[in-house]
Amino acid sequence: MPMTSKQMIKKLKMNGFEVISQNGSHVKMYNPDSNITLVIPFHSKDLKKGLEQAILKQAGIKED
């Protein structure tokens, strides 16, 4: 089942990421431990499977 932007942000927060800014429909998140910055699209639609996997891979999170 595809993940929504809210679910992705919640998952990233549980893995040490913090919201540092939001510009329009994109949320910028940063993890001080791994020094990784990610930009998450914050739209009302579900994230596409490829984008979801790419974000999780960049964050270093194994998919459940």
Side-chain angles (χ1 to χ4, degrees):
M1 184 172 166
M3 197 182 284
T4 64
S5 298
K6 279 187 177 182
Q7 291 171 329
M8 177 63 75
I9 291 170
K10 184 177 178 181
K11 184 171 191 142
L12 291 171
K13 281 183 178 180
M14 290 184 342
N15 284 283
F17 282 83
E18 305 167 354
V19 175
I20 54 173
S21 69
Q22 181 171 353
N23 188 0
S25 60
H26 292 83
V27 177
K28 192 183 290 185
M29 300 188 78
Y30 175 72
N31 186 334
D33 298 330
S34 60
N35 200 26
I36 296 173
T37 302
L38 299 173
V39 178
I40 312 300
F42 194 69
H43 305 282
S44 59
K45 300 180 265 182
D46 291 341
L47 297 173
K48 303 262 185 194
K49 190 66 178 167
L51 177 61
E52 180 183 319
Q53 290 173 343
I55 292 170
L56 292 174
K57 184 177 181 180
Q58 289 175 8
I61 300 170
K62 300 245 184 223
E63 196 170 353
D64 296 342

